[in-house]
Amino acid sequence: MSEKWARTLLAAYRLAGAAAFPLVGPYVAWRATKGKEDPNRRYERSGYAGKPRPDGPLIWAHAASVGETIAIVPLVESILGLGVNIVLTTGTVTSAQVAEERLGDSIIHQFVPLDLRPAITRFLNHWQPDLAIIAESEIWPMTIMELGGRRIPQVLVNGRLSERSFASWQKRRYIAEALFENLSHVVAQSEADAERFEALGARPVTVSGNLKVDTVPPPVDERALHSIARQLSLRPTWAAVSTHEGEERMAAEIHRMLRSRHPGLLTIIVPRHPERAAALAAEFAAMGLRVVLRSSGDRVRSDTDILLGDTIGEMGLYLRLTEIAFVGRSLTSEGGQNPLEPAMLKTAVLAGRNVQNFREAYQRLIDSGAAKLVADRDMLAGAVNFLLINDGTRRKMMAAGTATVDEMRGALSKTLKALEPFIHPLIVKARLKGTR
C-alpha cells in the first residue's frame, strides 16, 4: 500500500464516519440499555459538552477505561498542581466513576466523543484544548487527524503496543505512518514498545516505564475492611480478580476441589465486568455453593463459600482480605490484567500465561519470585493449595512483590519531563493572563 492510498483510505474513513453519524443516537441509546453508557450523559458521546469551558489554558487528557484512568491519576494531579485546567475523557461508565472517586471536581470529566468527524469537531470547537494527552494504546484515526489539522500537540503517554497490534499495523504501514506523524511525542512503557512505535513512524519516542507502578495502592474503606475481616476471622482465603468469562467458573471449581483440604476456605471472585455478577451468582448456586454478593451488604458467614465482588472501586478492599491473588484475563482470555496492584498490596500473584499486555511487569515479578504463571485450572488449583499450606513461600512472594514494585517506580517523573516542553508554555500563558 502506498502513502497516497493510505491517505485516500483515511479520507474515506472520514466520509464514512460523517455518513454514519445519524446512527450515533440510536446506537448510544442501545448501549445505555445494556448499562454501557450513562443514559443522562449519552449526548457527550456525540461531542456535546456537559459543562462550560473554563478560562485559560486547557489540556485534554484521555484514558479509555479503569486501568488507564488509575494509571494517569498521579500525572493529572501533578499537572493540576501547575495551575492548568484539565478536561478528562473516559470511555466507560466504570472509569467515569473511578475518575469521580480519585479526582472529584479538580477536573472536568466528559465521556469521550465517538471517533466520527461531527462528534470530534463539536468537542474540539467547544473545549479548544491547547494540548492532548492520550494514555496507552488509544489510536483513533479521526481524533488524531482532527487534532493534527488544528495543530494541537498530542502526546501518547504510557504508550503500549502489543505484538498482535504491531503486526496488524505493519500490514497497514502507510496508514500507521500517516497517523503517527501527527503525534508530537510518544512516551512508551518499555524499550520493546518504543521500538514498535518507531518502526511505525512515530518520532520522537522515549521510554518512561509503566505509570501504573507510580500509582498509590487502591484505597479502602477502613470500616468496611475491619467489618469483613472480623467476619472472616482466621479463615483461609484466596482471590480471583479482574476475571473474564470462564475464569470465574474455574475459580468456583477450584474452591470445591480445595475446601475439604482447607476447612473454612473462602474464595473471593471479582469479575472484570460486575454487571455479570447476578448470572455468576446463579451459576455458583447451581454448583451447590453459598454465595454472598458484596453489593447486598449481607454478612459473610462461616458457611459462605464465595464472596462475589460486584462493586466498583473496591479492589483495595478485596485484595486486603487475602494474601493470594489470581489475576484474570490470562487463562480463558488473552492480554492479561495489571498485576501491580496485587503486588503493591502484598499478595502472592498467580496468573495464566496469556499476559502479553503486561509482559514486562510480569517478567519483573516472576524474576524476583513474586509471581508464578500457570497453564490451566488444575495447575492453578495446585498453586493455590501450595501457597495456602506453605506460609514461608507465600510470605516471600508477598515481600518480593512490594520490593519489585518499588524498584520499578520512576515513570511519573520521566513522563513529566517529556511533557515539560508542551506544558511550560501553558503555565507562562496562564500566569500572564492572571497579571492582566
Side-chain angles (χ1 to χ4, degrees):
M1 180 186 293
S2 67
E3 182 178 352
K4 180 179 179 181
W5 269 110
R7 297 191 183 280
T8 300
L9 286 175
L10 289 173
Y13 178 86
R14 178 186 284 115
L15 293 173
F21 188 71
L23 302 176
V24 167
Y27 169 69
V28 175
W30 173 79
R31 282 176 54 86
T33 65
K34 303 295 184 180
K36 297 181 178 181
E37 301 283 350
D38 184 335
N40 298 317
R41 297 175 57 186
R42 62 180 193 243
Y43 56 86
E44 293 175 17
R45 300 288 264 156
S46 297
Y48 291 101
K51 296 180 180 179
R53 186 196 189 281
D55 292 334
L58 180 139
I59 294 174
W60 172 20
H62 173 63
S65 58
V66 171
E68 292 87 349
T69 303
I70 292 173
I72 69 166
V73 164
L75 179 63
V76 168
E77 291 174 331
S78 298
I79 295 172
L80 289 171
L82 300 174
V84 181
N85 296 306
I86 292 181
V87 56
L88 172 66
T89 59
T90 63
T92 65
V93 174
T94 51
S95 56
Q97 293 171 331
V98 169
E100 170 64 24
E101 292 168 0
R102 301 288 179 98
L103 295 166
D105 295 333
S106 64
I107 51 96
I108 300 169
H109 177 268
Q110 298 283 276
F111 285 103
V112 66
L114 295 173
D115 195 48
L116 303 173
R117 189 177 188 183
I120 296 297
T121 298
R122 185 177 291 120
F123 179 90
L124 294 177
N125 285 346
H126 176 82
W127 294 108
Q128 300 179 39
D130 298 282
L131 170 66
I133 299 175
I134 307 162
E136 297 208 11
S137 56
E138 284 290 282
I139 308 298
W140 293 106
M142 184 53 54
T143 301
I144 289 175
M145 289 190 293
E146 288 300 302
L147 286 167
R150 296 178 185 228
R151 298 185 180 277
I152 298 171
Q154 43 191 318
V155 180
L156 184 68
V157 301
N158 217 36
R160 174 171 57 84
L161 202 58
S162 68
E163 293 176 7
R164 177 178 293 184
S165 295
F166 178 58
S168 178
W169 279 115
Q170 279 190 309
K171 296 175 183 176
R172 304 163 181 83
R173 183 181 180 84
Y174 284 105
I175 293 179
E177 291 177 348
L179 290 174
F180 289 172
E181 69 180 10
N182 290 285
L183 299 178
S184 303
H185 197 129
V186 172
V187 187
Q189 288 187 21
S190 69
E191 293 290 349
D193 292 309
E195 290 173 3
R196 291 167 189 159
F197 279 112
E198 287 179 337
L200 295 174
R203 299 287 190 280
V205 180
T206 55
V207 178
S208 66
N210 193 335
L211 279 175
K212 290 183 171 75
V213 183
D214 282 9
T215 59
V216 297
V220 67
D221 181 331
E222 292 291 345
R223 292 181 61 185
L225 176 61
H226 178 72
S227 174
I228 298 177
R230 187 171 55 187
Q231 294 168 28
L232 298 186
S233 185
L234 299 177
R235 295 180 62 181
T237 64
W238 75 287
V241 302
S242 300
T243 51
H244 284 240
E245 187 172 358
E247 292 173 330
E248 296 91 0
R249 184 174 182 88
M250 283 188 184
E253 290 171 347
I254 290 170
H255 177 87
R256 290 200 307 186
M257 294 164 63
L258 298 182
R259 61 182 174 181
S260 61
R261 303 183 189 182
H262 303 279
L265 178 66
L266 177 76
T267 296
I268 302 167
I269 299 178
V270 187
R272 181 70 175 80
H273 301 290
E275 64 270 16
R276 298 174 51 235
L280 290 172
E283 182 178 1
F284 299 155
M287 296 171 64
L289 300 174
R290 295 178 176 85
V291 182
V292 167
L293 277 77
R294 166 65 181 146
S295 62
S296 71
D298 292 344
R299 289 179 58 83
V300 178
R301 301 185 180 279
S302 59
D303 61 351
T304 299
D305 292 294
I306 293 175
L307 172 60
L308 187 53
D310 61 338
T311 53
I312 295 169
E314 289 199 308
M315 186 61 76
L317 169 67
Y318 302 125
L319 289 173
R320 285 176 173 89
L321 292 172
T322 186
E323 295 181 347
I324 305 168
F326 164 76
V327 183
R329 199 186 175 189
S330 59
L331 273 178
T332 61
S333 302
E334 293 186 359
Q337 294 288 167
N338 178 21
L340 297 172
E341 286 186 347
M344 287 179 195
L345 290 177
K346 299 180 181 179
T347 69
V349 176
L350 302 172
R353 294 178 177 174
N354 302 316
V355 294
Q356 297 88 336
N357 291 347
F358 296 90
R359 184 184 301 278
E360 184 179 14
Y362 272 105
Q363 193 61 60
R364 293 285 295 270
L365 292 171
I366 292 167
D367 289 345
S368 70
K372 179 179 176 60
L373 301 187
V374 299
D376 52 32
R377 183 202 66 179
D378 291 345
M379 191 172 176
L380 176 58
V384 172
N385 179 60
F386 179 82
L387 290 173
L388 287 171
I389 293 172
N390 292 277
D391 295 347
T393 301
R394 185 177 71 249
R395 288 169 184 159
K396 284 181 181 178
M397 290 182 69
M398 294 159 57
T402 55
T404 302
V405 171
D406 287 341
E407 292 171 0
M408 293 171 65
R409 294 188 187 278
L412 177 59
S413 61
K414 292 177 182 177
T415 302
L416 286 168
K417 183 177 180 180
L419 288 170
E420 196 275 340
F422 304 98
I423 296 177
H424 181 70
L426 305 184
I427 298 171
V428 173
K429 181 179 177 181
R431 289 174 179 170
L432 289 176
K433 184 179 180 64
T435 60
R436 293 175 184 174

